[in-house]
Amino acid sequence: MRLIAAGPRLQALAAVEAAGSFSGAAAALGVSQSAVSQHVAALERQVGAGLVDRAARPVQLTPAGHVLAEHARAVVARLDAAERDLLDVLGRQERRLRLGSVPTALASFVPGAIARLRAELPDVVLTVVDDHVQGLVPRLRERELDLAVVFTSLSVPDQVSDLEVVPLFDDAYRVVLPSGHRLARADRDPSLRDLRDESWVGGAGGSTWFRVVRDACQAQGFSPHVGVVSDDHVAVQALVAAGLGVAVVPGLAASVRIRGVTARDLRGPGPVRQLAVAMPASDYRTHATTRMTELLRRATRARR
């Protein structure tokens, strides 16, 4: 079974899975519906198995189709990256940069770096993706992004282990309290253990940012009592301002405060995350990717 030369067919199968129909896949690929159908049928003949349940609405892939589509996405992404890198080396590629960022970085230092890149390389077509780490890392692995501003910590040591990582700075977490809270008016900064009996505003179960907090609390001998959950740092502060709990959030998030909230440093051991630029492992970097990394390093120099 030879699939190496089946690039367009694999691309068609992956598009059908994503769109849930042959017509949607055709629109996404910019080809006719007949062409998509022919590609998928040829691929089924090639592998000797049905890949699509055409009677289902929306169209569903068979178990064999799902397995092949998963690999197809990776193959298509690598071929696309290879083509872009080759054209870039040959000077024939419209330069583009696909940048991802966690929300707190995008709301602080990333826009300034983007503006400087635009001034230096005005012909670069820039795409910006705003997402959490758990959404950005898979897109880096699939080479849907050229680079992304993410964070790492001891709580999640393996999340970027297969990527190239350029450290930016350490971001210590801070506590945000209702302005009338007793700890907001205390003479000294609170410690994590001072918060052990409080009701907390925390992150959802899969929240990487809150996993860092939870692990730091457990190291201090307790688990936070989470009463309200949100992964939006602005919403977290609004919930704190309404008196629904206290929260410990990244320093970047605490630097943008809303009315009714007091932010204080944590005394003693506390959670810390490291902001970094992550990229797919590769021996080749486009000039735009390299320059964006340099500008992000420059934009965060004072924070180091």
Side-chain angles (χ1 to χ4, degrees), residues 18-127:
S21 69
F22 283 87
S23 59
L29 296 174
V31 299
S32 69
Q33 183 174 336
S34 174
V36 173
S37 181
Q38 290 173 16
H39 279 317
V40 173
L43 194 58
E44 288 177 319
R45 290 193 299 272
Q46 188 172 358
V47 301
L51 302 175
V52 176
D53 180 359
R54 292 167 174 78
R57 292 292 181 273
V59 169
Q60 299 291 323
L61 269 60
T62 66
H66 280 298
V67 169
L68 190 54
E70 180 180 355
H71 290 285
R73 289 191 298 272
V75 169
V76 170
R78 289 304 299 265
L79 289 174
D80 181 63
E83 182 179 5
R84 287 188 298 105
D85 289 350
L86 179 60
L87 292 176
D88 185 78
V89 169
L90 297 174
R92 303 173 188 170
Q93 168 78 357
E94 176 186 54
R95 291 196 289 177
R96 60 174 173 163
L97 182 68
R98 300 165 301 174
L99 169 68
S101 177
V102 293
T104 49
L106 193 57
S108 51
F109 63 86
V110 171
I114 291 174
R116 285 188 285 274
L117 183 79
R118 278 274 175 84
E120 293 183 16
L121 304 173
D123 60 328
V124 171
V125 178
L126 179 68
T127 303

Side-chain angles (χ1 to χ4, degrees), residues 3-241:
L3 294 175
I4 295 176
R9 299 173 186 177
L10 294 172
Q11 188 177 32
L13 181 67
V16 169
E17 182 185 45
S21 69
F22 283 87
S23 59
L29 296 174
V31 299
S32 69
Q33 183 174 336
S34 174
V36 173
S37 181
Q38 290 173 16
H39 279 317
V40 173
L43 194 58
E44 288 177 319
R45 290 193 299 272
Q46 188 172 358
V47 301
L51 302 175
V52 176
D53 180 359
R54 292 167 174 78
R57 292 292 181 273
V59 169
Q60 299 291 323
L61 269 60
T62 66
H66 280 298
V67 169
L68 190 54
E70 180 180 355
H71 290 285
R73 289 191 298 272
V75 169
V76 170
R78 289 304 299 265
L79 289 174
D80 181 63
E83 182 179 5
R84 287 188 298 105
D85 289 350
L86 179 60
L87 292 176
D88 185 78
V89 169
L90 297 174
R92 303 173 188 170
Q93 168 78 357
E94 176 186 54
R95 291 196 289 177
R96 60 174 173 163
L97 182 68
R98 300 165 301 174
L99 169 68
S101 177
V102 293
T104 49
L106 193 57
S108 51
F109 63 86
V110 171
I114 291 174
R116 285 188 285 274
L117 183 79
R118 278 274 175 84
E120 293 183 16
L121 304 173
D123 60 328
V124 171
V125 178
L126 179 68
T127 303
V128 180
V129 174
D130 179 5
D131 203 349
H132 297 287
V133 172
Q134 55 267 38
L136 295 172
V137 169
R139 298 182 75 166
L140 286 168
R141 291 190 177 120
E142 295 295 332
R143 296 178 182 265
E144 296 174 8
L145 295 173
D146 298 305
L147 74 165
V149 179
V150 299
F151 64 84
T152 64
S153 76
L154 294 177
S155 297
V156 281
D158 298 326
Q159 74 177 355
V160 294
S161 59
D162 57 336
L163 301 174
E164 181 177 332
V165 176
V166 178
L168 294 176
F169 64 94
D170 289 340
D171 185 27
Y173 281 59
R174 305 185 74 199
V175 57
V176 290
L177 305 153
S179 293
H181 194 282
R182 59 183 177 79
L183 293 176
R185 304 189 305 270
D187 292 337
R188 65 177 184 170
D189 291 330
S191 67
L192 271 182
R193 286 189 58 80
D194 290 334
L195 306 171
R196 63 187 181 278
D197 295 325
E198 299 286 338
S199 178
W200 286 58
V201 179
S207 301
T208 307
W209 75 269
F210 193 67
R211 180 177 170 183
V212 179
V213 177
R214 193 182 296 277
D215 287 355
C217 291
Q218 290 174 347
Q220 294 291 309
F222 73 98
S223 293
H225 305 296
V226 178
V228 187
V229 168
S230 176
D231 283 333
D232 184 318
H233 292 304
V234 175
V236 167
Q237 292 201 50
L239 293 165
V240 170

